[in-house]
């Protein structure tokens, strides 16, 4: 109750600060999440509950629209009337105010004044849709908007066994589609940086000790936010960022402008993690190879190919570790948050077809087929887990 009565504390304003809270708060939160599901399923009349779930995309589209229009950032400077917002954003006032009426019910805006002088205010929820917020998910929500049209093909995909995204993109895979439309790739990379706020980097560091290593090799590390946090956390650590050439080009620019103090300890290399010899090779037994939210984008066969390239990069340095950060299905740990992990699996199916979220047993099978053995599975104070594997 002490924390609940402190709405202005950093606990509520900066999600990373919540990593300092005891585990009991996370178990209580996960339990309450499950209670809400049960209340909805067994207290509301079944027709109402089913229709409420089926129409949930009405609400998600309101969130995506509010985000795409830039409403939260327009309210950063202070409250505004509907007319002021419509003029600033260049949109239809009546339609905007009808969308904001739903946004108010979703606590994305608060409202003061009467109908004649109604003012819209930023809230704790909509604040994270501002790029300036320390835990912004503006680009992640934008990515959900980009992915939404493919879900319209889910039924056809289940019937035919075809990837829903390919049905939507006229035969192109998600990756091919982004290559043809570079703006989608830019949005995707920005969303992956926002992912650090959905799965706080601090949640990984509070669950796993990176201080034991001399070098981190972040495989498929995007713009390098995770590697940067690791270097900042561990002064003795050196880093190697590995991703596709166009991603590394953008990462170098970002590091040169935003992370100069860490730049001397970071090196960059580019290539495909499917191509033999491209994953940076280990140079000692005190190194860690990391993969965050990589394998769920790929089928079992492709995941084994990727992991085998990492194993080849480790070579004879069998003291190295592989750390994978992923969602884990049906885990006995934090089982009350299984629903969002299960829906995430359907998301992967829609986007990539044979890609999937996996259970602990499925990860063990992938690792065993690739020359690794899972040594630990650690929960984090988020929806994701840390899997530690050792080469065999």
């Amino acid at each position: 109750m002490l924390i609940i009565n402190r709405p202005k504390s950093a606990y509520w304003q900066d999600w990373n600060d919540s990593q300092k809270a005891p585990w009991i708060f996370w178990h209580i939160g996960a339990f309450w999440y499950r209670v809400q599901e049960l209340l909805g399923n067994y207290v509301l009349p079944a027709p109402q509950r089913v229709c409420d779930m089926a129409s949930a995309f009405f609400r998600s589209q309101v969130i995506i629209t509010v985000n795409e229009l830039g409403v939260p950032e327009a309210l950063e400077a202070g409250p505004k009337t509907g007319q002021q917002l419509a003029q600033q954003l260049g949109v239809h006032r009546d339609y905007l105010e009808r969308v904001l009426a739903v946004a108010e019910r979703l606590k994305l805006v608060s409202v003061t004044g009467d109908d004649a002088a109604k003012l819209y205010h930023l809230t704790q929820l909509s604040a994270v849709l501002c790029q300036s917020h320390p835990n912004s998910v503006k680009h992640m929500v934008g990515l959900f908007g980009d992915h939404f049209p493919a879900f319209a093909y889910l039924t056809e995909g289940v019937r035919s066994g075809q990837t829903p995204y390919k049905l939507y993109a006229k035969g192109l895979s998600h990756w091919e589609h982004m290559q043809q439309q570079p703006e989608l790739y830019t949005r995707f990379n920005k969303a992956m940086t926002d992912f650090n706020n959905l799965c706080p980097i601090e949640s990984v560091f509070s669950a796993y000790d990176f201080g034991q290593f001399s070098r981190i090799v972040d495989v498929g590390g995007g713009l390098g936010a995770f590697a940067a946090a690791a270097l900042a956390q561990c002064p003795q650590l050196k880093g190697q960022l590995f991703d596709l050439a166009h991603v590394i080009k953008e990462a170098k620019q970002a590091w040169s402008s935003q992370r100069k103090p860490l730049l001397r300890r970071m090196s960059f290399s580019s290539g495909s993690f499917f191509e033999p010899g491209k994953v940076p090779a280990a140079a000692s037994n005190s190194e860690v190879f990391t993969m965050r939210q990589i394998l769920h984008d790929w089928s079992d066969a492709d995941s084994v190919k990727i992991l085998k390239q990492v194993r080849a990069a480790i070579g004879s340095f069998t003291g190295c570790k592989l750390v994978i950060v992923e969602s884990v299905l049906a885990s006995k740990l934090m089982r009350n948050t299984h629903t969002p992990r299960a829906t995430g699996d359907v998301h992967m199916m829609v986007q990539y077809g044979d890609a999937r979220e996996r259970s602990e047993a499925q990860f063990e099978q992938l690792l065993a087929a690739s020359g690794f053995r899972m040594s630990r599975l650690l929960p984090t104070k988020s929806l994701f887990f840390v899997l530690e594997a050792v080469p065999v």
Side-chain angles (χ1 to χ4, degrees), residues 96-205:
L96 174 64
E97 290 185 331
R98 290 164 70 180
V99 166
L100 292 178
V102 181
E104 180 187 2
R105 301 301 303 169
L106 298 175
K107 307 302 181 185
L108 289 172
V109 295
S110 61
V111 176
T112 58
D114 55 25
D115 287 343
K118 186 182 291 185
L119 285 173
Y120 297 96
H121 302 254
L122 198 67
T123 67
Q124 181 178 310
L125 290 183
S126 55
V128 300
L129 296 177
C130 297
Q131 195 163 344
S132 61
H133 194 279
N135 304 127
S136 175
V137 289
K138 174 182 175 64
H139 300 297
M140 179 63 74
V141 171
L143 183 69
F144 293 153
D146 292 343
H147 289 182
F148 177 77
F151 271 85
Y153 293 83
L154 178 58
T155 302
E156 186 178 346
V158 172
R159 283 181 176 146
S160 65
Q162 298 179 76
T163 302
Y165 195 94
K166 285 187 175 182
L167 293 170
Y168 152 67
K170 297 179 172 55
L172 296 176
S173 71
H174 182 228
W175 306 113
E176 291 166 342
H177 194 203
M178 288 196 297
Q179 286 174 353
Q180 285 197 2
Q181 299 188 30
E183 69 277 9
L184 291 179
Y185 231 130
T186 298
R187 287 166 66 91
F188 179 82
N189 282 328
K190 288 180 177 179
M192 292 303 99
T193 300
D194 278 5
F195 174 74
N196 298 319
N197 300 323
L198 184 62
C199 172
I201 291 177
E202 288 298 325
S203 71
V204 177
F205 293 139

Side-chain angles (χ1 to χ4, degrees), residues 246-264:
H246 70 276
V247 179
I248 292 298
K249 180 181 179 181
E250 189 175 348
K252 286 180 177 179
Q253 294 171 348
W255 278 71
S256 295
S257 61
Q258 302 168 20
R259 301 185 176 116
K260 281 187 177 180
L262 299 173
L263 192 54
R264 62 181 178 82

Side-chain angles (χ1 to χ4, degrees), residues 59 76 86 123 184 193 212 268 316 346 356 372 380 390:
R59 295 187 288 277
E76 270 192 292
T123 67
L184 291 179
T193 300
Q212 60 186 299
F268 304 85
S316 61
V346 175
R356 62 180 64 232
F372 291 97
T380 71
V390 294

Side-chain angles (χ1 to χ4, degrees), residues 304 307-308 363-372:
V304 169
L307 288 168
K308 282 185 174 180
F363 274 114
E364 288 177 335
Q365 291 169 2
L366 286 184
L367 291 165
S370 311
F372 291 97

